[in-house]
Amino acid sequence: MSGPNWVRHAIWWHLYPLGFVGAFPNAQPPEAKEHRLRRVIDWLDHAVELGTSGIALGPVFASRTHGYDTTDHFHIDPRLGEDADFDHLVQEAHRRGLRVLLDGVFNHVGTDFDRYRRAVEDEDAESIGWFRGRPGRFHTFEGHGELVTLNHGSPAVVDYTVDVMNHWLGRGADGWRLDAAYAVPESFWAQVLPRVRDAHPEAWFVAEVIHGDYAAFVDGSRVDSVTQYELWKAIWSSLNDGNFHELDWALQRHNDFLATFAPLTFVGNHDVTRIASQLHRPEHVAHALVLLFTTGGVPTVYAGDELGFRGVKEERAGGDDAVRPEFGPPPAQLDEAGRATLSLHQYLIGLRRRNPWLHEAKTTALQLDNRTYAYETRNGDDALIVALNIDNSPMPLPVTALIGGQAQLVGGTAAPPEEIVSDVVVPPQGWLVLRPR
């Protein structure tokens, strides 16, 4: 299993800083002197009380719009504040025992990036070599004219990326999310990451990979992890469609990945519709969360999901805004449903932290049909049994027949705490977690 030892206990609270502090979109961009990045510090105690062990930040480096059009990787975005504000955020996070993960955009840059301006305006040969294509016909990322693709075959780009990563790790960051890593040759990361690890052996690197052969990408690029979009999709679509066979197939794939690396798992992030809006039935949010926190990997909670926030991503200009809202000062004012969602997150994160072996746990189906699913999640001698029922009828669970013994109820819908059972019934639209005895 790749990665530093501390990742075995990692549970991230993920936020998109530019939206979180109201810096983007904003008709009148804030100035550095407003120090908006420090607003995140006000929420660090919430991250601790939630039970997470680190904050995963979206883009914080100088850019013109949404943060993924970087203009200067060596300075904090003026709309967020100054470099000293970042240092203070890291200091306060570490003081609370929270790790800090940065979002690095190294596939492309914005059109205000210095080397790009020199390539276009001065036709500087060295600068032209930083990009794919030629002046007037530089390649762009997925057709976005404001996102210019770097030339990953250039030694200068390799050196630059190493320098950027080392700079911010040296200032206290604990790792990097590599944006759009799927669009970058694996050989590029394989040149960059060993050099960074030489200077920062405890750093962790997770690549954004949406589809494809995850294990081969990890092996070829030498990253520690990738984003588990396959499992994310299987969770919500199996719940919506009443098709746990899709979920079981994805979990078998997930087991294969866990043989060599721990994927970054999630049910929400800054690029997708929030889970409370994605699911057709509100009670199924609980099932999605149970899956997230009882399967192997590195779980991530997208800020606001734990508060019951809703938001739909749309394929249009400004289509991300609904899932990247501004947060006011804590505490959030929650209705009854929001309080219940927060409480469930805290319970399941607590379960995860009390059972750190789940980081590498693999699942085996015990009982499976379209609308009911029971699986064992196991790592060596440690195991839990998870039962999910999305049917309107009760789900009988013959514990003794399934595992050859009794089990202790750990939690779930209307579950008597700590009760020892031989057979149990999962309520309609309910769930249970049990520990074999």
Side-chain angles (χ1 to χ4, degrees):
M1 188 70 66
S2 59
N5 287 335
W6 60 261
V7 176
R8 288 179 51 82
H9 305 275
I11 302 172
W12 298 107
W13 188 58
H14 170 210
L15 61 130
Y16 174 75
L18 287 165
F20 192 92
V21 304
F24 179 84
N26 192 319
Q28 190 168 10
E31 299 177 1
K33 64 183 180 182
E34 296 184 44
H35 305 286
R36 291 198 178 203
L37 188 61
R38 293 184 181 235
R39 295 187 189 180
V40 175
I41 296 171
D42 297 337
W43 283 86
L44 294 181
D45 289 339
H46 168 79
V48 172
E49 292 164 4
L50 181 60
T52 57
S53 61
I55 57 170
L57 300 174
V60 295
F61 308 121
S63 68
R64 187 164 63 183
T65 61
H66 45 57
Y68 291 97
D69 54 341
T70 315
T71 60
D72 186 347
H73 291 88
F74 285 102
H75 288 97
I76 295 299
D77 196 307
R79 295 170 295 171
L80 296 175
E82 302 170 337
D83 292 3
D85 298 319
F86 172 82
D87 295 336
H88 186 53
L89 172 58
V90 170
Q91 180 184 36
E92 288 298 306
H94 286 173
R95 187 171 67 81
R96 291 167 171 81
L98 296 169
R99 301 274 179 173
V100 178
L101 186 73
L102 295 180
D103 199 345
V105 188
F106 300 112
N107 174 67
H108 50 268
V109 296
T111 53
D112 286 342
F113 187 71
D114 179 64
R115 283 286 182 177
Y116 179 73
R117 300 306 334 155
R118 287 156 63 180
V120 171
E121 296 171 3
D122 303 333
E123 296 188 356
D124 174 64
E126 181 180 353
S127 298
I128 289 171
W130 277 55
F131 305 97
R132 293 182 60 200
R134 60 184 186 274
R137 300 194 66 179
F138 283 126
H139 294 196
T140 58
F141 175 58
E142 296 182 350
H144 299 286
E146 298 296 304
L147 305 178
V148 187
T149 305
L150 289 164
N151 173 15
H152 298 100
S154 165
V157 173
V158 171
D159 291 344
Y160 176 82
T161 304
V162 170
D163 290 345
V164 171
M165 287 188 178
N166 281 335
H167 175 79
W168 294 105
L169 291 170
R171 291 185 86 132
D174 296 285
W176 287 91
R177 172 194 179 270
L178 307 175
D179 180 69
Y182 59 86
V184 177
E186 294 169 16
S187 58
F188 175 79
W189 303 119
Q191 293 178 73
V192 168
L193 298 183
R195 292 171 56 184
V196 180
R197 284 195 181 97
D198 283 345
H200 301 280
E202 286 297 297
W204 184 67
F205 304 91
V206 55
E208 183 193 19
V209 180
I210 298 174
H211 48 70
D213 190 334
Y214 290 168
F217 186 93
V218 169
D219 183 59
S221 65
R222 304 185 68 175
V223 298
D224 295 311
S225 180
V226 298
T227 50
Q228 226 305 25
Y229 271 92
E230 277 189 15
L231 185 57
W232 162 77
K233 191 270 180 184
I235 288 173
W236 63 258
S237 63
S238 65
L239 292 170
N240 281 346
D241 297 343
N243 180 14
F244 276 135
H245 292 279
E246 177 190 359
L247 176 61
D248 185 64
W249 181 87
L251 284 173
Q252 291 179 50
R253 291 262 299 168
H254 192 63
N255 287 341
D256 292 339
F257 304 145
L258 287 162
T260 53
F261 72 97
L264 182 77
T265 55
F266 58 94
V267 294
N269 65 31
H270 67 298
D271 280 330
V272 301
T273 292
R274 285 192 182 272
I275 191 65
S277 296
Q278 185 73 68
L279 292 172
H280 296 164
R281 297 186 62 151
E283 58 266 49
H284 291 171
V285 171
H287 297 74
L289 295 174
V290 170
L291 283 159
L292 175 64
F293 291 111
T294 63
T295 53
V298 183
T300 303
V301 176
Y302 182 51
D305 282 358
E306 79 280 15
L307 305 175
F309 283 16
R310 301 179 65 85
V312 176
K313 176 186 172 70
E314 300 178 7
E315 296 301 326
R316 59 173 179 81
D320 294 315
D321 297 350
V323 298
R324 302 175 179 181
E326 181 175 1
F327 280 55
Q333 301 302 308
L334 303 178
D335 58 16
E336 183 178 351
R339 289 192 295 271
T341 300
L342 176 58
S343 178
L344 180 58
H345 273 83
Q346 290 173 318
Y347 168 75
L348 290 171
I349 291 172
L351 176 69
R352 180 71 172 219
R353 296 194 72 161
R354 291 190 299 275
N355 297 276
W357 55 267
L358 283 164
H359 175 74
E360 300 175 29
K362 298 181 181 180
T363 60
T364 303
L366 301 176
Q367 183 173 314
L368 171 64
D369 62 31
N370 283 339
R371 304 185 67 83
T372 64
Y373 185 35
Y375 60 89
E376 179 187 67
T377 182
R378 174 176 290 275
N379 183 2
D381 294 333
D382 296 304
L384 294 172
I385 297 168
V386 180
L388 306 174
N389 183 11
I390 58 170
D391 199 66
N392 290 325
S393 300
M395 170 189 174
L397 190 69
V399 175
T400 301
L402 291 174
I403 66 171
Q406 296 179 313
Q408 183 180 40
L409 284 167
V410 176
T413 307
E418 310 302 321
E419 182 178 332
I420 307 299
V421 297
S422 299
D423 300 289
V424 69
V425 174
V426 186
Q429 306 300 329
W431 59 275
L432 290 176
V433 177
L434 308 95
R435 191 183 305 277
R437 289 184 58 87

